[in-house]
Amino acid sequence: MKSKLTTKHIVKPMKHFALLCLVLLAQGAQSNESAKRISFGITEAATNGASIGGSFLANETASWSYTRTRSGVEAFNRQPITSAEFQVEAYLIREDQPFESIHKQMDIMSKNLESGYAQSPKWQKVRITLAPEVDKPRCVRGELLLREKTTVSDEDAMFSEQHFLSCPLEKRAPFGVEVRYYHRYKGNARDTAFTQRAKSLLDSVELNDR
């Protein structure tokens, strides 16, 4: 179950807007794949038209197969031998309530996540952590750890760990942006480098709000 519980996921482009095609943008003439940026969002066809969305550095995900969704991009990296899976998603959202303050935003998100997973038939919450993003005043960075609802031991249970950035836009409210990095694994198959990789990807997020 995805934890898009604080917002409504956009499924149709706005009038006079065209979906941006997925682009792997190399910075200048750099040949290093990790320098590529993954862009997502929607933009007005007119010159200097409105545009909402964002981008992030591909880092180790540069070799993954990215696909375009109705409001963003996603990519998977499945490793069946180790019972592990990785996923990156970036997409547009529509906020349920107007942005008032970062603390109010975190309170809304926390309540929605708690209530949402309390009703989930598959996952139970282990941990939810939310904090203001230092260099993006309207953004919340979160960590979420879920365990499948089953009677098996932790060693045999599936876990879903998510690191995410959720940002209500200012100029294009009520729209917003979310970027999520997932790691799903069985028992003790967690990749110990995942936290740092997720941090690096989220640190690189740039917003597009014009």
Side-chain angles (χ1 to χ4, degrees):
M1 176 180 177
K2 299 175 184 178
S3 59
K4 301 168 191 173
L5 302 171
T6 63
T7 56
K8 295 178 180 177
H9 198 181
I10 298 174
V11 295
K12 294 183 179 179
M14 294 186 295
K15 188 177 181 181
H16 305 309
F17 277 63
L19 278 172
L20 283 176
C21 292
L22 167 63
V23 183
L24 298 179
L25 296 172
Q27 297 300 301
Q30 297 180 34
S31 60
N32 183 359
E33 279 196 336
S34 66
K36 292 179 179 178
R37 297 196 71 87
I38 308 297
S39 298
F40 63 96
I42 54 178
T43 189
E44 197 173 27
T47 303
N48 297 323
S51 180
I52 59 176
S55 67
F56 56 89
L57 285 176
N59 297 331
E60 78 283 351
T61 75
S63 62
W64 298 8
S65 179
Y66 274 86
T67 58
R68 182 164 54 91
T69 65
R70 294 296 297 270
S71 64
V73 295
E74 66 178 356
F76 289 90
N77 181 13
R78 294 183 172 90
Q79 301 176 354
I81 296 177
T82 59
S83 300
E85 174 183 271
F86 299 90
Q87 179 186 1
V88 171
E89 280 189 316
Y91 47 85
L92 301 179
I93 56 176
R94 183 189 291 270
E95 297 290 338
D96 291 332
Q97 299 183 36
F99 180 87
E100 296 180 16
S101 70
I102 194 64
H103 296 292
K104 178 69 172 179
Q105 187 74 8
M106 288 193 297
D107 183 57
I108 293 171
M109 291 178 65
S110 178
K111 289 178 180 177
N112 287 345
L113 287 166
E114 292 280 0
S115 63
Y117 282 109
Q119 302 172 43
S120 170
K122 181 175 181 180
W123 298 105
Q124 63 185 28
K125 181 208 71 174
V126 177
R127 181 179 70 249
I128 296 176
T129 304
L130 301 174
E133 184 71 349
V134 175
D135 61 344
K136 297 179 179 66
R138 297 169 70 92
C139 295
V140 175
R141 188 176 293 217
E143 296 180 19
L144 177 62
L145 179 62
L146 307 173
R147 183 193 189 279
E148 68 172 331
K149 289 183 176 177
T150 177
T151 57
V152 302
S153 66
D154 285 351
E155 183 178 349
D156 295 318
M158 289 298 299
F159 290 84
S160 176
E161 184 175 344
Q162 305 171 27
H163 292 237
F164 60 90
L165 192 67
S166 181
C167 304
L169 297 177
E170 182 175 7
K171 296 178 181 178
R172 294 295 167 182
F175 298 106
V177 167
E178 284 194 358
V179 179
R180 291 179 178 268
Y181 201 158
Y182 299 81
H183 180 20
R184 303 180 186 93
Y185 54 92
K186 182 178 180 180
N188 58 4
R190 182 184 186 275
D191 186 334
T192 57
F194 172 66
T195 298
Q196 183 56 48
R197 291 204 303 268
K199 180 181 184 302
S200 296
L201 187 143
L202 295 179
D203 284 348
S204 74
V205 171
E206 295 180 358
L207 302 178
N208 198 8
D209 180 18
R210 73 167 194 264

